[in-house]
Amino acid sequence: MTTDRDLHAHLIGRQGSRADLNTPVLILDVDALDRNIAAMAALTAHHGVALRPHAKTHKSVDIALRQKAAGAVGVCCAKIGEAEVLAEGGVTGILITSPVAAPAAIERLAKLAATAEGLMAVVDHPGVAERIDAALEAAGAKLDVIIDIDPGIARTGVASAEAAVALVKLISESPNLEYRGVQFYCGSQQHIESYAERRAAIVERTAYLQEVIAALSETGFAPEIVTGSGTGTHRIDLDLGVFNELQAGSYVFMDKQYLDCDIADGAAPPFEVSLSVDARVVSANHSGLVTIDAGYKSLSTDGGVAVVQRGAPETAFFAFMGDEHAALIAPEIGTQLAPGDPVSLTVPHCDPTVNLYDFYHIVAGDTLVDIWPVGARGRAR
């Protein structure tokens, strides 16, 4: 099967070659990416907080290694498959942030623990901790673990301070598990648009986290690592000073969801858009509407709709029109654009959009400079 790499490798290094890419295509501005990586690294270093950015955003060995080179202590992964791919690519210090519970996945975790430097995983249930310990015994491996604490959304995590204490006691008695700390990720608060409202919500949740930490400390299990946070709350969490490790991920790309949020308390966002999807007009037979070749199969649908970055009026309204198509709607747009004209879009939600593609097309200005894989095809699950 012909891949985007096969189609586009000959364009690498040719001036202006972005214009010759087949669309729809995932575009990554490498200069903006590196500025975003450097900005978050400098911010966390200034506060004396470790950075372990979430790689579920990008699923990329190339980006993870750039983050590590800029000072990150490691990266986070959501799934065992992501961790396997990144570890194989030479990334160290991986934390798997979702519980690994299926028997086959636990076997893979134990195998990976035997070879991956600095691997950690979260646990939130005594039975799962026992099964992981047994698998590690069979594999002749050890694993550092983090207790996941439910921030109130009932998705994952222990549901109380008492449950956290009971779990850490079991871990302490497990010969192949080493307790390292706690994880607390307030996912539902990340996209509260008002900074003041988001801060108030995080202050309330952080007070609960402090109660859990106090209960653990009183029983002799003070956490060495307190990890969590995200792009939407990173500044608030740094100011509150409870986390000593941040997991922010989307800052490397930015997307419409985060652009709609005031993440810097009224100041200009510290990060810029580096990710886009390039599309082309395929039909322009109506004065107020053109059709482009990027629909449900090219853009996430869980974060609103894409917005025009360039190539069409920025005020044009985006509307999905099916698997392969979307409309851009604006006065007289059909007389301004013709079939074949390029349009760049800022994506609604970066993580699930990236998951739709096999490759990043890396650009510097309008020139394609490289092609990086997204994960490893058929492996990053």
Side-chain angles (χ1 to χ4, degrees):
M1 184 179 74
T2 301
T3 68
D4 276 354
R5 189 192 296 277
D6 300 325
L7 287 172
H8 298 142
H10 71 285
L11 297 174
I12 294 174
R14 183 163 56 177
Q15 190 71 28
S17 50
R18 177 176 178 174
D20 296 323
L21 294 170
N22 291 269
T23 57
V25 64
L26 190 65
I27 298 291
L28 182 55
D29 182 322
V30 69
D31 295 326
L33 169 72
D34 285 341
R35 287 192 292 269
N36 289 345
I37 290 173
M40 184 63 87
L43 183 61
T44 51
H46 175 74
H47 284 81
V49 171
L51 176 63
R52 197 184 305 267
H54 218 305
K56 72 181 178 69
T57 298
H58 55 69
K59 301 166 78 77
S60 166
V61 169
D62 296 275
I63 296 174
L65 291 175
R66 277 176 132 81
Q67 291 173 313
K68 288 269 292 178
V73 297
V75 297
C76 295
C77 293
K79 298 286 189 72
I80 182 67
E82 292 174 354
E84 289 169 334
V85 169
L86 293 180
E88 188 176 300
V91 180
T92 58
I94 296 170
L95 167 62
I96 302 174
T97 60
S98 296
V100 179
I106 287 175
E107 288 185 14
R108 290 164 65 188
L109 176 63
K111 181 179 178 181
L112 187 62
T115 59
E117 180 184 341
L119 181 70
M120 296 191 293
V122 302
V123 291
D124 72 351
H125 191 279
V128 173
E130 291 171 340
R131 292 197 292 271
I132 293 174
D133 185 63
L136 291 165
E137 181 70 28
K142 308 288 184 182
L143 179 66
D144 289 350
V145 293
I146 302 287
I147 293 178
D148 187 24
I149 301 169
D150 178 11
I153 61 176
R155 184 172 67 180
T156 67
V158 295
S160 66
E162 293 77 15
V165 170
L167 182 55
V168 76
K169 288 180 177 178
L170 182 146
I171 291 169
S172 70
E173 297 168 356
S174 302
N176 304 295
L177 300 177
E178 182 70 26
Y179 164 68
R180 294 292 305 281
V182 297
Q183 171 180 274
F184 192 73
Y185 175 61
C186 295
S188 62
Q189 285 79 18
Q190 297 300 317
H191 293 101
I192 296 173
E193 293 188 8
S194 162
Y195 186 89
E197 292 177 12
R198 193 179 334 117
R199 190 180 194 282
I202 289 298
V203 167
E204 187 274 332
R205 287 290 79 200
T206 301
Y208 170 65
L209 171 60
Q210 290 174 303
E211 291 176 10
V212 179
I213 291 173
L216 290 166
S217 300
E218 288 168 5
T219 53
F221 295 103
E224 171 192 347
I225 296 171
V226 181
T227 185
S229 190
T231 298
T233 62
H234 74 279
R235 177 167 174 166
I236 299 164
D237 291 317
L238 288 171
D239 289 344
L240 294 177
V242 176
F243 288 104
N244 58 21
E245 178 178 290
L246 263 57
Q247 296 182 2
S250 297
Y251 73 94
V252 294
F253 294 153
M254 298 301 287
D255 56 25
K256 184 179 182 295
Q257 282 189 317
Y258 276 122
L259 293 175
D260 286 343
C261 293
D262 175 11
I263 67 171
D265 196 13
F271 313 110
E272 56 193 288
V273 175
S274 65
L275 185 77
S276 60
V277 167
D278 277 7
R280 290 186 185 280
V281 176
V282 294
S283 183
N285 293 321
H286 304 278
S287 64
L289 177 153
V290 297
T291 303
I292 60 174
D293 60 357
Y296 291 125
K297 292 181 178 179
S298 305
L299 295 156
S300 69
T301 61
D302 65 326
V305 295
V307 292
V308 173
Q309 194 178 107
R310 67 177 189 174
E314 292 184 1
T315 55
F317 177 75
F318 177 102
F320 284 109
M321 296 185 75
D323 290 351
E324 314 294 349
H325 302 113
L328 296 180
I329 302 167
E332 304 304 317
I333 191 172
T335 64
Q336 301 165 10
L337 299 179
D341 285 350
V343 176
S344 294
L345 304 168
T346 297
V347 306
H349 184 186
C350 52
D351 301 26
T353 296
V354 166
N355 197 53
L356 298 171
Y357 293 85
D358 291 326
F359 297 98
Y360 293 100
H361 291 72
I362 311 304
V363 301
D366 285 328
T367 298
L368 180 70
V369 296
D370 209 347
I371 300 172
W372 297 346
V374 176
R377 298 187 63 196
R379 285 284 311 281
R381 299 293 179 197

